Amino acid sequence: MAIIEKHKFQPNALARSLVNKKTGMIGVLFPDSSNMFFPEVFGGAERAAQKLGYTLFLCNTFSDYNRESEYLNLLCERQVDGLILMGGRINSRHCPPSLVQEVVDIQRKIPIVLINGTLPGHPCHRVKTDEYLGTKLIVQHLIDRGHRQIGFLGGSEVTTTTVEKLQAYRRTLEANQLSYRNEWVRMGSFSMSCGRQLMEAFLTMSNRPTAILCINDYVAIGAMKTAISRGLRIPEDIAIAGFDDTQLSSAMNPELTSVSQQSEQLGMQAMLILSKLIQKEKVTKLTVLAPNLIIRQSTQ
Amino acid sequence: MAIIEKHKFQPNALARSLVNKKTGMIGVLFPDSSNMFFPEVFGGAERAAQKLGYTLFLCNTFSDYNRESEYLNLLCERQVDGLILMGGRINSRHCPPSLVQEVVDIQRKIPIVLINGTLPGHPCHRVKTDEYLGTKLIVQHLIDRGHRQIGFLGGSEVTTTTVEKLQAYRRTLEANQLSYRNEWVRMGSFSMSCGRQLMEAFLTMSNRPTAILCINDYVAIGAMKTAISRGLRIPEDIAIAGFDDTQLSSAMNPELTSVSQQSEQLGMQAMLILSKLIQKEKVTKLTVLAPNLIIRQSTQ
DNA sequence: TTGTAAGCGTTATCAC
DNA sequence: GTGATAACGCTTACAA
């Protein structure tokens, strides 16, 4: 011990990992650190990881398939013990089979958990919140508040989660004998500026919705800002709801009704399941978390 | 090549790094992923890292000295090529010398860049925004808008950045022949809930400030929310300004005047300097970025 | 208890 | 150019 101290001996984890064949590292792919939803998820994952003795390797893919592939390769070379995947290809409808195959090949050697996504045609360990139910809850809430004209704003039709929400929206309307109208559904992206633009378009309509469900909090806030700048009161003149319940929704004024995906739980669960997979324990393939409707000022 | 493909040969970066004595990994310590400022900084750092062929190892210390030490140790064991440090001990007045020494010892072996912090008594490569100037700009702006009673909300006196801002606040008041009043300065923490609480206290004062400078956007938003819930109009009844110009400030309603620290630039510069240090190039010890006053609705 | 040797998957060196 | 070999720093198994 004295001699360790004296020579300031520094253990080398690389050499140790080379022998042990485990690194204690978990690779985490996510699409965008500027969307608070993701930092929240890996906040939860990190907490769980610390308890389990793992350490996270976060990789911002910027939703770019190439970067995803690069990182995937990098993480394999670095011998991570497991992978958590979010966004990008696992949320893509029409995902090129080669990209799916890439993940499938890796999965043969390294345990993988997907958050809010799938690998079409291949069974996979997944953690997700029930976004269908979440959407249903919020549409029903709007209907219960007396709204009959409900719009849907943002997202992209090439994204599986958007399609799932859209379906829930449509079916919930129908279940309430309300008509689904194409012109009340506007897609684009997931950003605040998208929310602004799409809302502009809505406001020029003669017969516009009285309530709007947005694909996420960012789009909702963009929509709110446009509405407010046009002199509309929220929720009196138009009700607006978001999704994800990021910290933005409670920060806003008026505060934004949103559906919590339990982002931290999502990360924790994924990490928990991954650690079991690494220990070769049997784990349920699919873990579904219940969404949580958080009603705030923007809809009542 | 055929045989590589056939056997699905997977190169092992650990073994390679063991020989090369470089891993291409940069350790990044930061205090809190739920404060958007930090994801913004490492967004910039990541972009730079990708260009330079490095990859980031992000470590959320939750501002806990012990966790900092653990991660520091972990990153050394893992043989990272360099370190970027934010928050925690490098922002602490009265930082225990042993914690400083720990970093100094590491610095002998691994290049380190500090963002917005110092290692008291030890020269160090640092990147920072001029928070003194940033504060001055915003106080001057409030004064120019006609305010004579300006308060200071949030932060903590054990944090170097808070002290720096407080000093700038005080001196700018004095330079304008305005009196500094103790009861107009309230400290606490850096959270939205802190902003709410401190604002409550302000509002009970008979002679309260007409404008408030907050330590960051989160505190500012908390303060705004309390003010609004008390029926005050912003900025007519009370002007409020934040700091950091996170995405929250432009999302708010009314939009929040704030000082941009150029968070992405901060991360990019740190990464750039670090890579030069790793290549043993000479680099200037201190890089100061100019803050940017972003005037929005909350102060005019 | 202490010590020695083999091996992890690379890279680099030095003969050939 | 090709091919064998040592070395990187650690762990583990086995021998002394």
Side-chain angles (χ1 to χ4, degrees):
Chain A
M1 274 306 167
I3 214 144
I4 281 178
E5 190 54 34
K6 186 178 165 193
H7 291 76
K8 301 224 175 276
F9 167 72
Q10 173 64 251
N12 185 325
L14 297 177
R16 189 183 310 143
S17 295
L18 194 58
V19 176
N20 290 341
K21 292 176 171 317
K22 59 181 169 189
T23 56
M25 285 189 346
I26 304 297
V28 181
L29 255 55
F30 63 95
D32 183 9
S33 67
S34 74
N35 181 334
M36 272 313 286
F37 175 68
F38 298 106
E40 285 174 12
V41 173
F42 57 71
E46 178 148 29
R47 244 177 268 272
Q50 276 181 6
K51 287 212 184 83
L52 296 162
Y54 290 105
T55 183
L56 300 185
F57 204 114
L58 302 176
C59 301
N60 198 335
T61 64
F62 300 99
S63 291
D64 175 27
Y65 290 160
N66 283 330
R67 224 179 297 253
E68 271 188 2
S69 294
E70 284 169 22
Y71 269 129
L72 242 20
N73 193 40
L74 189 93
L75 292 167
C76 289
E77 283 196 6
R78 294 263 170 84
Q79 317 289 122
V80 292
D81 294 341
L83 283 168
I84 294 177
L85 267 41
M86 304 173 71
R89 69 186 68 179
I90 70 165
N91 284 326
S92 168
R93 297 170 75 194
H94 330 306
C95 176
S98 65
L99 297 185
V100 173
Q101 193 55 44
E102 196 177 21
V103 178
V104 171
D105 286 345
I106 292 171
Q107 205 186 0
R108 268 200 270 275
K109 311 183 68 188
I110 303 176
I112 298 183
V113 173
L114 311 184
I115 294 184
N116 283 354
T118 58
L119 226 45
H122 298 269
C124 223
H125 288 270
R126 311 192 277 134
V127 179
K128 60 168 285 185
T129 38
D130 191 338
E131 298 183 82
Y132 187 98
L133 175 56
T135 306
K136 189 175 154 186
L137 287 175
I138 206 157
V139 174
Q140 193 62 55
H141 161 67
L142 292 170
I143 294 172
D144 294 345
R145 298 289 308 158
H147 293 283
R148 294 292 170 268
Q149 307 187 183
I150 300 172
F152 186 102
L153 216 67
S156 149
E157 50 277 279
V158 300
T159 312
T160 53
T161 53
T162 301
V163 174
E164 187 176 346
K165 287 176 181 173
L166 199 54
Q167 230 168 46
Y169 158 77
R170 186 163 190 165
R171 295 216 185 119
T172 309
L173 288 185
E174 286 164 359
N176 286 269
Q177 285 87 44
L178 296 178
S179 61
Y180 169 92
R181 295 179 56 168
N182 258 325
E183 66 270 30
W184 287 349
V185 175
R186 309 254 170 155
M187 309 252 180
S189 71
F190 301 84
S191 67
M192 218 163 96
S193 65
C194 164
R196 293 182 104 120
Q197 284 168 25
L198 295 179
M199 191 62 173
E200 300 276 4
F202 258 171
L203 294 184
T204 61
M205 291 174 60
S206 55
N207 187 25
R208 61 171 164 79
T210 61
I212 296 178
L213 166 60
C214 301
I215 197 77
N216 68 12
D217 290 345
Y218 286 88
V219 170
I221 286 166
M224 274 176 69
K225 292 179 80 69
T226 292
I228 289 170
S229 74
R230 289 287 179 285
L232 295 180
R233 290 163 308 157
I234 298 171
E236 294 82 354
D237 298 323
I238 190 160
I240 294 181
F243 213 103
D244 291 349
D245 189 39
T246 59
Q247 55 181 212
L248 286 164
S249 55
S250 55
M252 284 303 292
N253 171 45
E255 295 188 359
L256 182 66
T257 291
S258 195
V259 175
S260 166
Q261 293 216 44
Q262 309 204 57
S263 43
E264 297 223 346
Q265 274 295 316
L266 223 40
M268 285 188 54
Q269 287 295 329
M271 191 55 234
L272 237 59
I273 286 165
L274 192 54
S275 82
K276 287 186 181 166
L277 281 174
I278 293 171
Q279 260 116 69
K280 305 212 183 290
E281 297 178 29
K282 275 275 172 205
V283 201
T284 49
K285 284 265 179 192
L286 179 62
T287 306
V288 181
L289 301 186
N292 222 329
L293 177 61
I294 315 286
I295 299 171
R296 297 201 182 85
Q297 300 162 343
S298 72
T299 60
Q300 67 168 7
Chain B
M1 273 306 169
I3 213 144
I4 280 179
E5 189 55 35
K6 187 180 164 194
H7 291 76
K8 301 225 174 275
F9 167 72
Q10 172 64 251
N12 185 325
L14 298 177
R16 188 182 312 141
S17 295
L18 193 58
V19 175
N20 288 341
K21 292 177 169 320
K22 59 180 169 191
T23 56
M25 285 188 345
I26 304 296
V28 181
L29 255 54
F30 63 96
D32 183 10
S33 68
S34 74
N35 182 333
M36 272 313 286
F37 175 67
F38 298 105
E40 285 173 13
V41 173
F42 58 69
E46 179 147 28
R47 243 178 269 271
Q50 277 180 6
K51 287 212 184 82
L52 296 161
Y54 290 104
T55 183
L56 300 185
F57 203 113
L58 303 176
C59 302
N60 197 335
T61 64
F62 299 100
S63 290
D64 175 27
Y65 291 160
N66 283 329
R67 225 180 297 253
E68 272 188 1
S69 294
E70 283 169 23
Y71 270 129
L72 242 21
N73 193 40
L74 189 94
L75 292 167
C76 288
E77 282 196 8
R78 294 260 171 85
Q79 318 289 122
V80 292
D81 293 342
L83 283 169
I84 295 176
L85 266 40
M86 304 172 72
R89 69 186 67 180
I90 71 165
N91 283 326
S92 169
R93 297 170 73 196
H94 330 306
C95 176
S98 65
L99 297 185
V100 174
Q101 193 55 43
E102 196 177 20
V103 178
V104 172
D105 287 345
I106 293 171
Q107 204 185 1
R108 268 200 271 273
K109 311 183 70 186
I110 304 175
I112 299 183
V113 173
L114 311 185
I115 295 183
N116 282 356
T118 57
L119 225 46
H122 298 268
C124 222
H125 289 270
R126 312 192 277 133
V127 180
K128 59 168 285 182
T129 38
D130 192 339
E131 298 182 83
Y132 188 97
L133 175 56
T135 306
K136 189 176 155 186
L137 286 175
I138 207 158
V139 173
Q140 194 62 55
H141 160 68
L142 292 171
I143 294 172
D144 293 347
R145 297 289 310 156
H147 293 283
R148 292 294 169 268
Q149 308 188 182
I150 300 173
F152 186 101
L153 217 65
S156 148
E157 51 275 281
V158 300
T159 312
T160 53
T161 53
T162 301
V163 174
E164 186 175 348
K165 287 176 182 172
L166 199 54
Q167 230 166 47
Y169 158 78
R170 186 164 190 162
R171 296 217 185 117
T172 309
L173 288 185
E174 287 164 359
N176 286 269
Q177 285 85 45
L178 296 178
S179 60
Y180 168 91
R181 296 179 55 168
N182 259 323
E183 66 270 29
W184 287 348
V185 176
R186 309 254 169 155
M187 308 251 179
S189 71
F190 301 84
S191 67
M192 217 162 97
S193 64
C194 164
R196 294 182 104 122
Q197 285 168 25
L198 295 179
M199 191 63 172
E200 299 277 3
F202 259 170
L203 294 184
T204 62
M205 291 173 60
S206 55
N207 187 25
R208 60 172 166 76
T210 61
I212 297 179
L213 165 59
C214 300
I215 196 77
N216 68 13
D217 290 346
Y218 286 88
V219 170
I221 286 165
M224 274 176 69
K225 293 180 78 69
T226 291
I228 290 169
S229 74
R230 288 288 180 284
L232 295 179
R233 291 163 307 159
I234 298 170
E236 295 82 353
D237 298 324
I238 190 161
I240 295 181
F243 213 103
D244 291 349
D245 189 39
T246 59
Q247 55 180 215
L248 287 164
S249 57
S250 57
M252 283 304 291
N253 170 47
E255 295 188 359
L256 182 67
T257 291
S258 195
V259 175
S260 165
Q261 293 215 44
Q262 310 205 58
S263 43
E264 298 223 347
Q265 274 295 318
L266 224 39
M268 285 189 54
Q269 286 296 327
M271 190 56 234
L272 236 60
I273 286 165
L274 192 54
S275 83
K276 287 186 181 165
L277 281 175
I278 294 170
Q279 260 116 72
K280 307 215 182 286
E281 296 179 30
K282 274 277 172 203
V283 200
T284 49
K285 285 266 178 190
L286 178 63
T287 306
V288 181
L289 301 186
N292 223 328
L293 176 61
I294 315 286
I295 299 171
R296 297 201 183 85
Q297 300 161 343
S298 71
T299 60
Q300 68 168 7

